[in-house]
Amino acid sequence: MNKREIIAALQSTITEFQELISAFDEAELNNIPFEGSWTAGQVAQHIIMANSGFGEVLNGPVTETKRIPDELCGKLKEDFLNFNIKMESPDFIIPKYKAYNKKRLLNALEEIKNDIAKAIIDIDLTQTCLAFELPVYGHLTRFEAVCFVIYHTQRHAHQVRNIKDHFNMN
């Protein structure tokens, strides 16, 4: 993917996630749909917590990459879009159970989408980010970090669809 294609993928993924969140009324947004689930508001907050952190990672310290810059993108896609496995979120991006404001969530998602898209234009995506090691994967290149944001958001879009389907059936 070139920069234009990765920006388009990022923007369409986050826009789709925003549209999914927009479809909830405030009550549904903050109700637990079934045992063991987060609310749709918590899922959105989790995405905000994770993705805003990657905006900082992209603009943080880097080093030259000693491998193919998109080497881990296929593995990230395979893992995060495998809906048959349950993943555990690191503690620092587990959202609190509380009432979330839909407008604030949507605005935060828009800001993240714009910030990361701007960063993609301005930075060398082949460099390796040093500010954060993704559990299991280690240090990502900037390109891989954007791939993570895309696939992680797509994974949680799937989760939000399931939550909405549950409310629509009941």
Side-chain angles (χ1 to χ4, degrees):
M1 271 193 278
N2 62 35
K3 283 188 175 192
R4 191 170 342 149
E5 292 168 333
I6 199 160
I7 289 171
L10 171 84
Q11 290 176 329
S12 68
T13 295
I14 294 178
T15 297
E16 178 189 5
F17 189 83
Q18 290 171 296
E19 290 168 354
L20 290 167
I21 295 300
S22 293
F24 286 83
D25 63 35
E26 294 286 338
E28 286 178 341
L29 184 74
N30 293 298
N31 280 335
I32 296 172
F34 43 86
E35 190 175 327
S37 176
W38 285 347
T39 67
Q42 283 177 291
V43 176
Q45 181 63 26
H46 168 74
I47 288 298
I48 290 164
M49 294 166 77
N51 289 357
S52 64
F54 271 87
E56 294 168 16
V57 169
L58 288 171
N59 290 299
V62 293
T63 190
E64 291 302 315
T65 301
K66 295 174 176 54
R67 58 183 170 80
I68 300 167
D70 65 349
E71 185 174 305
L72 294 177
C73 288
K75 181 73 173 142
L76 289 163
K77 182 177 185 177
E78 178 184 320
D79 292 348
F80 280 88
L81 299 185
N82 179 351
F83 304 121
N84 295 317
I85 59 170
K86 179 155 172 62
M87 295 182 156
E88 295 296 321
S89 178
D91 289 343
F92 62 91
I93 55 172
I94 293 178
K96 292 179 183 169
Y97 175 68
K98 67 173 201 165
Y100 289 94
N101 177 285
K102 181 166 56 171
K103 184 175 172 104
R104 281 194 206 124
L105 294 172
L106 294 171
N107 288 341
L109 289 163
E110 186 68 19
E111 196 172 304
I112 290 165
K113 177 173 60 175
N114 293 335
D115 288 349
I116 293 177
K118 182 183 181 322
I120 292 168
I121 293 166
D122 294 341
I123 61 177
D124 177 356
L125 297 178
T126 67
Q127 294 183 314
T128 297
C129 303
L130 298 175
F132 178 72
E133 281 189 66
L134 187 65
V136 178
Y137 304 92
H139 289 288
L140 301 178
T141 65
R142 286 169 160 168
F143 191 92
E144 292 164 342
V146 176
C147 287
F148 168 80
V149 169
I150 292 168
Y151 301 135
H152 180 241
T153 304
Q154 289 173 353
R155 180 178 187 82
H156 287 292
H158 178 79
Q159 181 183 11
V160 170
R161 273 188 220 92
N162 288 341
I163 291 170
K164 187 65 173 166
D165 288 349
H166 177 80
F167 284 126
N168 288 344
M169 290 179 1
N170 293 324

